[in-house]
């Protein structure tokens, strides 16, 4: 039932990607993503808009940061060095946005004593921001799902993950009523 027109499925995929990237930065790279998170709702609603392309660029920037800081970074750096020199320079500029700027990611690996408290506070603020971002996405999914249910437009939407149980119960009741 999942098609390219299924905004809820696409939103779930984008949200999962961004969540996994954030988790990778925090758990593996020991860094907090402090930049404004990519607006996956904008990407899903109208992917061809200029604003959506900026949000996709944020995702790509974060992925590039993962690639050049992961265990296989030598491989990815070697691939980059095989590219055209202008493209290499553009990629290096993007890499610097992640590795050299505290505006996008902040290292939490072994802070000094004075910074431990502030690092914990910042970590809490980032986690709260992430929870609110996920909540907003969830509410938008629910709104779209219920709006489609009311409109009966014929477009099948994947129910948001937390509503799948509700959807299954609804289907069971429909089958019982038919029987």
């Amino acid at each position: 039932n999942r098609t390219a027109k299924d905004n809820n499925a696409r939103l779930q995929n984008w949200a999962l990607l961004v969540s996994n990237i954030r988790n990778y930065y925090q758990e593996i790279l020991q860094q907090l993503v402090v930049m404004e998170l990519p607006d996956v709702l904008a990407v899903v609603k109208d992917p061809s808009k200029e604003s959506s392309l900026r949000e996709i660029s944020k995702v790509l920037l974060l992925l590039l940061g993962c690639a050049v800081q992961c265990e296989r970074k030598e491989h990815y750096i070697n691939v980059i060095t095989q590219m055209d020199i202008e493209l290499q320079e553009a990629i290096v500029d993007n890499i610097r946005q992640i590795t050299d700027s505290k505006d996008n990611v902040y290292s939490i690996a072994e802070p000094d004593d004075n910074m431990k408290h502030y690092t914990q506070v910042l970590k809490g603020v980032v986690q709260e921001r992430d929870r609110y971002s996920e909540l907003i996405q969830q509410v938008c999914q629910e709104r779209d799902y219920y709006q489609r249910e009311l409109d009966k437009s014929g477009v099948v939407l994947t129910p948001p993950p937390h509503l799948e149980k509700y959807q299954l119960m609804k289907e069971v009741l429909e089958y019982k009523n038919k029987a």
Side-chain angles (χ1 to χ4, degrees):
N1 285 347
R2 291 182 179 203
T3 66
K5 293 183 179 185
D6 186 344
N7 283 349
N8 280 345
R10 289 191 356 233
L11 181 58
Q12 289 172 21
N13 290 337
W14 277 102
L16 182 62
L17 174 63
V18 171
S19 176
N20 285 337
I21 291 171
R22 277 190 344 250
N23 289 338
Y24 186 82
Y25 270 95
Q26 189 165 343
E27 301 301 322
I28 306 300
L29 300 177
Q30 294 293 294
Q31 298 173 349
L32 291 176
V33 176
V34 294
M35 66 185 273
E36 182 179 331
L37 292 176
D39 183 357
V40 294
L41 287 171
V43 172
V44 168
K45 294 289 184 186
D46 196 352
S48 60
K49 274 184 133 176
E50 182 68 30
S51 59
S52 294
L53 296 177
R54 280 192 302 273
E55 300 308 312
I56 292 170
S57 293
K58 288 180 189 178
V59 174
L60 293 175
L61 179 67
L62 290 169
L63 282 172
L64 181 60
C66 289
V68 299
Q69 296 180 84
C70 74
E71 291 177 0
R72 296 189 59 215
K73 64 185 170 189
E74 291 83 14
H75 168 74
Y76 296 113
I77 292 170
N78 187 40
V79 170
I80 293 169
T81 60
Q82 303 302 314
M83 296 177 179
D84 178 67
I85 193 73
E86 289 178 15
L87 184 55
Q88 285 183 46
E89 289 172 356
I91 291 173
V92 168
D93 287 342
N94 282 298
I95 291 170
R96 285 188 182 124
Q97 288 181 35
I98 290 293
T99 60
D100 296 349
S101 171
K102 293 190 183 334
D103 293 336
N104 292 319
V105 295
Y106 177 77
S107 177
I108 56 174
E110 301 186 37
D112 62 17
D113 289 336
N114 292 333
M115 293 303 293
K116 282 185 182 179
H117 171 71
Y118 295 111
T119 299
Q120 288 299 80
V121 170
L122 179 60
K123 195 174 182 179
V125 168
V126 167
Q127 288 172 345
E128 184 176 3
R129 178 214 49 199
D130 295 346
R131 279 193 308 272
Y132 284 128
S133 175
E134 290 169 3
L135 180 63
I136 289 168
Q137 292 170 16
Q138 182 181 34
V139 167
C140 288
Q141 280 184 300
E142 288 178 18
R143 180 203 60 211
D144 292 348
Y145 179 75
Y146 287 126
Q147 186 63 45
R148 296 283 182 177
E149 286 285 311
L150 289 173
D151 293 345
K152 296 293 183 192
S153 64
V155 176
V156 177
L157 280 182
T158 302
H162 57 282
L163 291 180
E164 287 179 0
K165 190 179 212 180
Y166 162 78
Q167 185 65 25
L168 291 173
M169 289 181 358
K170 182 178 166 186
E171 289 175 13
V172 167
L173 287 175
E174 287 175 10
Y175 287 125
K176 282 184 179 179
N177 290 336
K178 288 180 182 178

